[in-house]
Amino acid sequence: MMIDLNADLGESFGIWRLGDDMALLDVVTSANIACGFHAGDPLTIRRTCAAAVDRGVLIGAQVSYRDLAGFGRREMEMDPEELCAEVLYQLAAVDGIARAMGDRVSYVKPHGALYNRIHRDPEQAEAVVAAVADYDRSLPVLALPGSAVHHIAAREGVTTVVEAFADRAYTATGALVSRRSPGAVLHDPDTVAARAVRMATERMVTAVDGSQVPVEARSICVHGDTPGAVLLAQAVRDGLVAAGVTLKAFA
């Protein structure tokens, strides 16, 4: 069994600090680095990329709607060409900094509302895939199982990788429970670790209604902005290793 452990990093902005990127980079195998549209700034991107390179952690571009005030968690209606251009802009910016630090962007992961929107919206999914194809169609895109982005990307010759979320609650359909709902984010390290192990070994997760939902994931995410994220990520890593799972980046 082989699994990637990813986290959202580089989400500080100016003097405002969010999460413990350096500690998380000692735990994860892939880093989804904010591109400046929902969080992050050039200095934060540079420091996070440099630290990832030092630790051998792969760098992903976490592209988003242009929504700093809402942390990228508000859906936006956008012209597809404009969305494509904004995703391309973010990807190129982080890749440029990553290359200056000695590596490169190895994959793309949409963030927040954009991630959930392209799960069900083919038009916006097309725009995101087009941006990746324009830049480098060899870059894989992380997405939920059943996302609209999968078949669109396959048509364009772009690879997709399925991921699961250890610290998020699931609906019976396999979607993530809205953050506006109570219990959408899980905080107990033992619970989160047990869910991650079951995702990796049994390919299943228990939904909020008690039903069992199949999860065929190659990567598992722990959110860097979740309170206690380092403890959660370490618990997940320890649990996976104890279960005989090999931690290895997918890209």
Side-chain angles (χ1 to χ4, degrees):
M1 293 173 290
M2 191 177 296
I3 204 78
D4 170 63
L5 181 59
N6 77 75
D8 303 342
L9 303 175
E11 293 181 323
S12 297
F13 186 81
I15 64 171
W16 183 66
R17 294 287 176 262
L18 181 64
D20 189 342
D21 291 348
M22 299 304 111
L24 280 167
L25 283 168
D26 289 329
V27 179
V28 301
T29 50
S30 297
N32 319 316
I33 298 180
C35 303
F37 271 33
H38 80 278
D41 57 59
L43 180 57
T44 299
I45 295 170
R46 186 181 190 277
R47 287 175 173 171
T48 311
C49 284
V53 172
D54 287 344
R55 291 161 173 79
V57 175
L58 292 193
I59 295 169
Q62 187 161 48
V63 299
S64 172
Y65 290 125
R66 192 197 295 258
D67 181 26
L68 277 175
F71 200 66
R73 289 182 175 153
R74 299 181 292 191
E75 278 198 12
M76 293 186 173
E77 301 301 324
M78 296 185 66
D79 177 81
E81 185 180 10
E82 181 183 8
L83 179 58
C84 175
E86 295 211 340
V87 170
L88 180 59
Y89 179 94
Q90 295 174 77
L91 173 53
V94 173
D95 189 45
I97 293 175
R99 288 176 186 272
M101 296 301 100
D103 200 355
R104 61 186 289 271
V105 163
S106 295
Y107 65 95
V108 177
K109 178 180 175 179
H111 167 80
L114 180 60
Y115 184 91
N116 291 318
R117 181 65 176 265
I118 67 173
H119 176 71
R120 57 178 171 77
D121 183 340
E123 185 175 63
Q124 290 205 5
E126 289 240 21
V128 172
V129 170
V132 176
D134 283 348
Y135 190 78
D136 181 354
R137 68 178 66 247
S138 72
L139 294 176
V141 178
L142 275 175
L144 282 172
S147 174
V149 79
H150 290 297
H151 72 270
I152 292 169
R155 188 188 67 213
E156 298 299 325
V158 174
T159 302
T160 55
V161 175
V162 174
E163 74 170 332
F165 292 82
D167 58 356
R168 291 293 308 277
Y170 278 76
T171 69
T173 63
L176 299 179
V177 173
S178 169
R179 283 180 175 269
R180 294 187 293 272
S181 300
V185 182
L186 309 178
H187 300 279
D188 179 67
D190 291 337
T191 300
V192 172
R195 285 166 68 86
V197 169
R198 189 163 183 241
M199 288 171 174
T201 61
E202 300 179 28
R203 307 295 184 182
M204 298 290 290
V205 65
T206 302
V208 288
D209 67 350
S211 61
Q212 302 304 306
V213 179
V215 177
E216 293 290 337
R218 175 62 179 85
S219 185
I220 292 177
C221 177
V222 176
H223 287 88
D225 66 306
T226 300
V230 177
L231 291 176
L232 292 177
Q234 190 63 60
V236 168
R237 184 183 180 99
D238 291 346
L240 291 170
V241 171
V245 178
T246 299
L247 289 172
K248 185 181 175 75
F250 64 86

